[in-house]
């Protein structure tokens, strides 16, 4: 069993829809949670970073962490065609600057106009 | 801005060739990583390094080696390339000295095809 599970999709939604992306994990030591966005033919870029449990909001994006269920989510409100990308969850027990990250497989999202 | 560059965007090699993939970062980061990315498998860590001349195996080190002679440069070596090493290779770096909430910065990737 992989330490981080993520449904690869693909996910296709109309413009303006609310998108929900999810990951589950097995290692209870994870406490740093990240979402990366990767456009086609580019490297991943950090989108959201959450420490421990709770919610974090940044514009149209909301990241949620439920450590009791070992479940994290990324919500995209009012989705736009420019949000079309692969979204990767990542997590760590020591933070991305002190140790390695564990990545999900990535979910491919297409937002059509 | 942090910049991570990789020597080639696209590379085509033949089975059995020795292949060098180069990665350079310009922000004096201590940590550097090599991943490969395949459809349906996501990012898998091959090797990483916390300091010059130091290296640690990731999840899939077989068939690969690495070299870090200078802080800014981390090389991935395929001693004898095989077709199952056809993949997208991504390099990343991060700084131990930054806040723990800082990120890993990725290069644009090298698409390697082994014929």
């Amino acid at each position: 069993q992989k330490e981080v599970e993520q449904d690869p999709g693909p996910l296709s939604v109309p413009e303006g829809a609310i998108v929900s992306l999810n990951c589950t994990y097995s290692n209870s030591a994870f406490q740093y949670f990240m979402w990366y966005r990767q456009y086609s033919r580019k490297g991943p870029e950090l989108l959201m970073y959450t420490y421990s449990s709770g919610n974090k909001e940044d514009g149209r994006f909301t990241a949620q962490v439920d450590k009791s269920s070992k479940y994290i989510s990324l919500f995209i409100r009012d989705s736009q065609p420019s949000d079309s990308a692969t979204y990767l969850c990542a997590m760590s027990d020591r933070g991305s600057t002190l140790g390695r990250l564990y990545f999900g497989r990535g979910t491919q999202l297409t937002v059509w106009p | 801005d942090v910049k991570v560059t990789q020597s080639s965007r696209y590379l085509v090699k033949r089975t059995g060739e020795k292949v060098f993939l180069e990665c350079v970062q310009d922000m004096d980061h201590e940590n550097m990583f090599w991943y490969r990315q395949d459809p349906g498998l996501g990012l898998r860590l091959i090797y990483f390094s916390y300091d010059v001349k130091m290296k640690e195996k990731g999840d899939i080190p077989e068939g690969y080696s690495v070299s870090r002679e200078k802080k800014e440069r981390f090389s991935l070596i395929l001693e004898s390339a095989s077709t199952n090493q056809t993949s997208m290779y991504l390099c990343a770096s991060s700084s131990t000295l930054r806040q723990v909430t800082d990120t890993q910065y990725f290069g644009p990737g090298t698409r390697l095809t082994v014929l």
Side-chain angles (χ1 to χ4, degrees):
Chain A
Q1 182 189 4
K2 275 178 66 76
E3 294 207 65
V4 182
E5 297 284 354
Q6 182 178 9
D7 186 344
L11 190 59
S12 182
V13 301
E15 183 176 355
I18 296 174
V19 176
S20 172
L21 305 168
N22 311 294
C23 289
T24 60
Y25 63 95
S26 57
N27 189 342
S28 57
F30 288 154
Q31 51 182 335
Y32 299 90
F33 303 93
M34 289 139 271
W35 286 95
Y36 282 79
R37 179 173 60 193
Q38 184 178 21
Y39 290 115
S40 180
R41 301 185 184 88
K42 301 273 190 181
E45 293 181 312
L46 182 68
L47 185 62
M48 298 283 284
Y49 198 130
T50 308
Y51 171 68
S52 195
S53 284
N55 292 2
K56 184 174 182 180
E57 191 172 317
D58 184 2
R60 297 183 295 109
F61 299 90
T62 299
Q64 287 187 352
V65 175
D66 181 349
K67 290 188 71 180
S68 62
S69 301
K70 297 189 179 69
Y71 187 88
I72 70 171
S73 301
L74 177 71
F75 297 96
I76 307 174
R77 291 185 301 279
D78 187 25
S79 56
Q80 304 293 310
S82 58
D83 295 327
S84 298
T86 296
Y87 290 81
L88 300 124
C89 64
M91 46 198 78
S92 168
D93 57 346
R94 300 172 64 197
S96 60
T97 58
L98 295 176
R100 58 167 292 181
L101 296 179
Y102 295 83
F103 284 88
R105 298 181 183 188
T107 299
Q108 186 179 346
L109 171 67
T110 300
V111 181
W112 42 275
Chain B
D1 278 352
V2 174
K3 195 166 185 182
V4 180
T5 57
Q6 296 183 229
S7 51
S8 305
R9 292 302 303 274
Y10 300 94
L11 208 53
V12 179
K13 295 293 181 179
R14 297 208 174 272
T15 302
E17 280 193 77
K18 190 169 186 176
V19 181
F20 292 87
L21 302 182
E22 302 282 335
C23 175
V24 177
Q25 49 92 5
D26 66 357
M27 283 300 291
D28 202 34
H29 283 175
E30 297 78 23
N31 310 320
M32 296 189 75
F33 306 82
W34 273 108
Y35 297 89
R36 65 178 282 178
Q37 187 174 32
D38 301 286
L41 297 177
L43 280 170
R44 293 182 291 169
L45 183 64
I46 305 171
Y47 267 98
F48 56 109
S49 169
Y50 288 135
D51 201 351
V52 176
K53 297 192 185 296
M54 294 184 68
K55 60 183 179 184
E56 293 198 33
K57 293 180 180 179
D59 298 322
I60 52 164
E62 297 79 18
Y64 303 95
S65 62
V66 290
S67 173
R68 193 165 180 203
E69 296 295 320
K70 293 185 178 182
K71 192 175 184 181
E72 68 271 18
R73 190 179 297 270
F74 192 34
S75 302
L76 180 69
I77 304 156
L78 287 66
E79 294 290 341
S80 178
S82 63
T83 55
N84 63 11
Q85 292 178 310
T86 291
S87 186
M88 170 70 85
Y89 289 88
L90 288 160
C91 175
S93 73
S94 69
S95 174
T96 309
L97 300 180
R98 292 199 178 197
Q99 290 188 7
V100 71
T101 51
D102 199 13
T103 182
Q104 283 187 15
Y105 295 87
F106 284 84
T110 295
R111 170 77 62 185
L112 172 67
T113 301
V114 182
L115 301 176

